[in-house]
Amino acid sequence: MIQDNLQPVERVIRVKGLQKRFGTNHVLKGIDYEVDKGEKIVVIGPSGSGKSTFLRCLNLLEIPSAGEIWFEDKLITDKKTNVNEVRRHMGMVFQQFNLFNNMTVMKNITLAPVKLGIMSKDEACETALSLLDRVNLRDKADSYPAQLSGGQKQRIAIVRALAMSPKVMLFDEPTSALDPEMVGEVLEVMKELADSGMTMVVVTHEMGFAKEVASKVLFMDEGIIMEEAEPETFFSNPQNQRTKDFLSKVL
Amino acid sequence: MNFYALGFLQSDFYQKFRNAFIVSDRYKLYFEGLGVTLKITVFAGLLGLLIGTAVAFMKLSKTRNGKPTVLSYIAQVYTDIIRGTPSVLQLMIMYFVVMASSKNPTLVAVLSFGINSGAYVSEIVRAGILAVDKGQEEAGRSLGLSSRTTMLNIIIPQAIKNALPPLGNEFIVLMKETAIVGYVGMTDLTRIANKISTRTYEAFMPLIGAAVIYFIIIKLLTIGLGYLERRLRKSDSR
Ligand SMILES: Nc1ncnc2c1ncn2[C@@H]1O[C@H](COP(=O)(O)OP(=O)(O)OP(=O)(O)O)[C@@H](O)[C@H]1O
Ligand SMILES: [Mg+2]
């Protein structure tokens, strides 16, 4: 089927010349990157290199100082874009979980779909329960965040984002705030998500996850993407001296 | 009649008590005074909460590029003036200058104390909102919720929990502060006690009596607030 081969890959995110300054601190110095549907991009790099800033620019939690970000066929860095509309389709998972402390797990998950008129309350509850089943936490539906372990909180946070049926999921060091024995359960959920075909951009220090799941690994340093490669090449044959130094420290 | 009871009834202490509370149904005067105190406190408290909340949001308002707005400057000036001047003076200025033509002293007192309390409440509410972790807002916004929805459903409920203890405290301070309305001729609880003591030439009983009444009301309030606080803390329990 020649036709199929000619089908263009679906581009989910396109970043062109992205720059971000905090006052005089030039954090992102020109990032160009494209994420295709179904890709799992893992971003690594030293602390302060701008990984979080990059990720947070993608859903406009940080406003870029220069450059363009396209989500599907929308230029979202355009001032006229409806930011809330864009964010619905981009799930985000934070290092500190950020579950809503004043709400039960169920309310955490159903709040956005119901408030945004995407689902009725009943539909949202049903969706929430089936998602909770997927992470084995159905019995926590009526708990408050303060009653959960870190690993449970993070799995709920993932479910909360998934309840919006996002087209891409952004993860900012989702396991860095966890006790070691809880890292596995969260990575497991993320792997399943990856297998289900979700498009993902993951900032992490879990090199094992990068090797196993990533379709591309990006190494960020000094506000740019220093190196990008498929995981096998990236870890076995890094080109850049910076990458080599970094890998020798973390592996 | 029992010897001791007779002795008590003839005692100096009992006579003073009688004069202060029972003779010509004076106890009713304390309740009237208490009524005035409570009326001013409750309405001024509500007004203060209203003003304070509005002013808190003015203080927190930011322009697009994160700078303070004109509104936030106005709010700061208001807070500075109120906190920088004695409340007795504010009340007298309100009564004798700003609203000198008003025939309704209660209204004047409510406005004056409400405006006064609003300044303190605004700081409490502002701090309560700022104490909510930034991540809560980011999580709400990252789901596509508007800043308004995020505020109302996520930030404010948590801010209320933070602000409740200091707000209760402010209400208690306000209630006692209203004791200065005697300066503008209103007869609240304190003023009544004072009047009765001048009539009976005996200060101890009426003043202690008024103090006990304030104390009981505030103690009840404290118990109620503690209960409310525990209910709101339910989501924190492990
Ligand atoms: N809101 C902000 N205001 C000012 N400076 C900021 C802000 N956010 C980040 N920065 C600065 O930007 C730089 C990059 O921060 P960023 O959080 O993106 O790094 P990172 O690669 O995610 O690091 P880490 O691995 O420690 O999470 C740092 O120097 C940081 O101090
Ligand atoms: Mg980071």
Side-chain angles (χ1 to χ4, degrees), chain A residues 66-201:
Chain A
E68 291 181 355
I69 299 172
W70 294 76
F71 177 62
E72 299 187 315
D73 52 3
K74 265 196 268 345
L75 177 63
I76 63 174
T77 40
D78 187 15
K79 282 211 166 55
K80 285 179 288 251
T81 326
N82 180 347
V83 181
N84 297 332
E85 164 60 27
V86 172
R87 287 183 184 145
R88 284 183 190 199
H89 305 291
M90 304 173 117
M92 185 164 219
V93 176
F94 302 84
Q95 182 173 348
Q96 299 299 336
F97 330 126
N98 295 346
L99 291 183
F100 305 135
N101 297 322
N102 57 322
M103 297 176 196
T104 62
V105 165
M106 181 52 92
K107 193 80 198 295
N108 260 277
I109 303 170
T110 58
L111 180 78
V114 173
K115 286 282 172 204
L116 295 172
I118 296 166
M119 295 177 202
S120 73
K121 220 172 163 192
D122 289 344
E123 284 172 316
C125 284
E126 230 169 274
T127 311
L129 285 176
S130 70
L131 285 169
L132 283 172
D133 269 336
R134 251 170 83 178
V135 298
N136 286 321
L137 288 172
R138 181 190 262 261
D139 56 323
K140 297 294 182 194
D142 295 322
S143 304
Y144 281 92
Q147 299 163 326
L148 304 173
S149 74
Q152 291 171 333
K153 281 186 205 174
Q154 197 60 300
R155 284 184 283 157
I156 305 281
I158 294 172
V159 163
R160 178 176 68 180
L162 289 178
M164 294 291 292
S165 316
K167 291 176 177 158
V168 57
M169 285 282 283
L170 312 173
F171 292 84
D172 191 0
E173 301 199 29
T175 56
S176 296
L178 295 176
D179 291 338
E181 75 269 21
M182 293 173 187
V183 170
E185 65 193 56
V186 171
L187 290 181
E188 202 49 50
V189 170
M190 291 171 63
K191 276 176 205 162
E192 278 167 29
L193 191 60
D195 290 340
S196 76
M198 177 63 74
T199 311
M200 296 162 66
V201 182

Side-chain angles (χ1 to χ4, degrees), chain A residues 48 50-53 95 172-173 203:
Chain A
K51 306 180 296 294
S52 299
T53 307
Q95 182 173 348
D172 191 0
E173 301 199 29
V203 175

Side-chain angles (χ1 to χ4, degrees), chain B residues 184-234:
Chain B
V184 296
M186 294 184 68
T187 37
D188 71 321
L189 181 54
T190 300
R191 174 76 179 187
I192 285 286
N194 195 18
K195 271 187 169 174
I196 291 175
S197 73
T198 41
R199 188 156 321 155
T200 59
Y201 305 107
E202 202 285 306
F204 178 83
M205 277 293 168
L207 296 186
I208 294 293
V212 167
I213 297 173
Y214 277 111
F215 178 83
I216 291 172
I217 302 279
I218 287 168
K219 187 69 204 173
L220 289 176
L221 203 65
T222 310
I223 292 170
L225 281 166
Y227 174 75
L228 197 63
E229 218 179 292
R230 276 193 301 281
R231 292 235 0 212
L232 285 177
R233 295 230 168 265
K234 212 178 61 187

Side-chain angles (χ1 to χ4, degrees), chain A residues 20-23 25-28 45-56 62 95 172-173 203 205 220:
Chain A
K20 177 66 184 178
R21 286 190 173 82
F22 292 106
N25 188 2
H26 201 175
V27 177
L28 299 181
S47 179
S49 57
K51 306 180 296 294
S52 299
T53 307
F54 170 54
L55 204 65
R56 292 159 57 82
E62 302 290 355
Q95 182 173 348
D172 191 0
E173 301 199 29
V203 175
H205 294 296
M220 272 185 74

Side-chain angles (χ1 to χ4, degrees), chain B residues 169-187:
Chain B
N169 195 44
E170 165 59 22
F171 190 75
I172 287 168
V173 169
L174 172 65
M175 174 159 174
K176 291 183 295 185
E177 193 112 294
T178 61
I180 59 175
V181 291
Y183 275 91
V184 296
M186 294 184 68
T187 37

Side-chain angles (χ1 to χ4, degrees), chain B residues 14-92:
Chain B
Y14 178 69
Q15 286 309 318
K16 284 180 179 168
F17 184 87
R18 245 178 75 82
N19 281 338
F21 299 108
I22 298 172
V23 172
S24 42
D25 282 351
R26 287 200 174 121
Y27 66 91
K28 283 185 185 158
L29 296 176
Y30 293 90
F31 284 112
E32 274 164 36
L34 178 62
V36 171
T37 296
L38 288 179
K39 193 156 56 173
I40 297 172
T41 307
V42 168
F43 287 107
L46 288 174
L47 182 64
L49 194 60
L50 221 68
I51 296 177
T53 309
V55 172
F57 280 100
M58 284 167 68
K59 283 181 184 166
L60 290 170
S61 63
K62 292 254 161 67
T63 59
R64 259 183 190 285
N65 35 27
K67 300 220 166 58
T69 61
V70 180
L71 283 181
S72 70
Y73 280 118
I74 296 174
Q76 197 52 52
V77 169
Y78 156 76
T79 310
D80 286 347
I81 291 176
I82 296 295
R83 290 206 295 198
T85 54
S87 45
V88 187
L89 266 183
Q90 291 165 15
L91 178 67
M92 298 209 297

